[in-house]
Amino acid sequence: MTLSFFDQFMSPTYLGIPLIALALSLPWILYPKPTTRWLNNRLITLQGWFINRFTQQIFQPLSLGGHKWAALLASLMLFLITLNMLGLLPYTFTPTTQLSLNMAFAVPLWLATVIIGMRNQPTHALGHLLPEGTPAPLIPVLIIIETISLFIRPLALGVRLTANLTAGHLLIQLIATAAFVLLPLMPTVAILTAVLLFLLTLLEIAVAMIQAYVFVLLLSLYLQENV
Amino acid sequence: MPQLNPAPWFAILVFSWLVFLTVIPPKVLAHTFPNDPTLQSTEKPKTEPWTWPWH
């Protein structure tokens, strides 16, 4: 069976165990649970600092009603950034390249923000469908457009994360293959390709962190509209 | 594209939410911080000049 470049994203199994199960359950070993000691070790201090600063950053613009989501969004951020970053190691499987996983998080959380808005303040939530200062003849068209953009949000959220990570991994595989194949033929070009690969890996590290942050930030914005 | 294969979609959904709800929040919530957050006030504290000798 010839391999194509997309085969790295097939949910692989090894000895009957789907590797996505391992990729989803093992990374949390890296986050030891802090005890009640006042002075922790460096790892726990760093993780606590990160969680604290991130929560402050995301929830500062939100009104108090939205602060109930703090534990959820902090957990989501840790979840996504860990999976993204660990996927950049060679021979690891990145669960966030699977559209199923990203949609599994995007759709319920987006739906939750919409339902919260509709239940608690339906007029305010529906008011977002019509921007201020719209000329009267344009009102019906604009409401349709805004409704469509509301429903596209979960799709965009899931597909954005999937596409960014899939494209990154695919590029890394392509350029690494090119460098490897060129090595016996044109060593100079192969070295240049290797430098390109290094720069691309740096970019992918940034993309991994940014995409996780963007996912959670957009969810907090949707929450902000509805709370 | 193998990601569009619908076979493991539901299993991935269930398993990832399971991990997300059971494993991570206890670890996140166990991080406690010593100071309570305070609302920022716009007054700056008044500082009076002091004449403590340095030596």
Side-chain angles (χ1 to χ4, degrees), chain A residues 15 46 72 80 87 89-90 111 127 151 153 174 187 189 195 222 225:
Chain A
L15 299 178
L46 273 175
L72 189 77
L80 291 176
L89 298 169
L111 195 61
F151 281 96
R153 277 178 181 177
L174 278 170
V189 180
V195 169
Y222 301 155
E225 283 186 358

Side-chain angles (χ1 to χ4, degrees), chain A residues 111-135:
Chain A
L111 195 61
T113 60
V114 169
I115 290 178
I116 286 175
M118 288 298 184
R119 279 191 71 197
N120 298 341
Q121 32 183 38
T123 322
H124 178 86
L126 285 172
H128 282 294
L129 293 178
L130 189 63
E132 224 177 284
T134 319

